[in-house]
Amino acid sequence: RAERAAREIRAELGERAEAEGGGELVVRELDLASLRSVRAFCHRILQEESRLDVLINNAGIFQCPYMKTEDGFEMQFGVNHLGHFLLTNLLLGLIKNSAPSRIVVVSSKLYKYGEINFEDLNSEISYNKSFCYSRSKLANILFARELARRLEGTGVTVNSLHPGIVRTNLGRYVNIPLLAKPLFNLVSWAFFKTPLEGAQTSIYLASSPDVEGVSGKYFGDCKEEELLPKAMDDLVARKLWDISEVMVGLLK
């Protein structure tokens, strides 16, 4: 799918990109459900790239049945939070050397229904697919907040966002009764955002001069939004950071 998207972009830009001395579009394999894959990806990027101006942490998995990653983490927490946590930390030196630079973390409004339960982060005591998704999205915001604090004065900004409800295959694990599917399809076409519309806030935070120097904030529809107190709890954010470092092997 990535190669197909790359071909479409190259065809769309075509001669214009060459005439303007445009850059190179490359596809690199990365599996956020595998810390081994994350490390291999980052190793290659650090070998091949001299700059990293923008990192957008966008990938995710939504309300899947109970599964574990290659490293034994609950899938949603492992992919949505821990995979991005390791990825960002391994690339952080290059990002800082490229300052002014930006990190964008895609979360979800559903963070509101999540709680960080340090006694069962891996959902081995109990598992609820909706709650675990919300927890992973709350973790995204807390991660972005703590990272922004740590990067103060470096020229690197970190912001999180919710994209809204977007028509993608993110909901592939959601079971919709056969009889209800025509109605659901109608509703999704009428009210859900297209992928291009859903990407606008990420693009805004990655490139707009309006948010130059803005860090540690949360956005929706290209505007700053208020967070619930639990998403601004700096003590929880620091504890989550410390535990995540151990879980992904950055600290022994």
Side-chain angles (χ1 to χ4, degrees), residues 204 214 216-226:
Y204 173 75
V214 175
K217 304 299 183 182
Y218 173 73
F219 288 78
D221 292 324
C222 301
K223 299 183 187 69
E224 186 181 337
E225 294 191 0
E226 292 294 319

Side-chain angles (χ1 to χ4, degrees), residues 91-150:
L91 296 176
L92 204 50
L94 182 58
I95 295 171
K96 288 162 75 172
N97 289 338
S98 306
S101 46
R102 304 182 184 189
I103 298 171
V104 180
V105 180
V106 179
S107 181
S108 165
K109 272 188 174 180
L110 294 176
Y111 86 86
K112 297 175 181 179
Y113 305 104
E115 301 290 341
I116 304 297
N117 177 7
F118 289 110
E119 304 304 314
D120 192 28
L121 279 180
N122 214 32
S123 301
E124 291 173 338
I125 298 173
S126 65
Y127 179 72
N128 177 290
K129 62 183 183 180
S130 299
F131 167 80
C132 286
Y133 178 76
S134 295
R135 176 165 62 192
S136 72
K137 295 289 104 179
L138 175 59
N140 287 157
I141 297 171
L142 291 168
F143 164 59
R145 186 175 179 86
E146 174 64 8
L147 183 58
R149 185 187 71 79
R150 290 170 179 251

Side-chain angles (χ1 to χ4, degrees), residues 171-191:
R172 59 191 177 275
Y173 291 108
V174 178
N175 291 319
I176 299 168
L178 192 61
L179 292 176
K181 280 192 175 179
L183 178 60
F184 175 81
N185 291 336
L186 182 64
V187 169
S188 69
W189 278 105
F191 298 106

Side-chain angles (χ1 to χ4, degrees), residues 165-176:
I165 305 175
V166 187
R167 279 199 306 275
T168 68
N169 69 346
L170 184 67
R172 59 191 177 275
Y173 291 108
V174 178
N175 291 319
I176 299 168

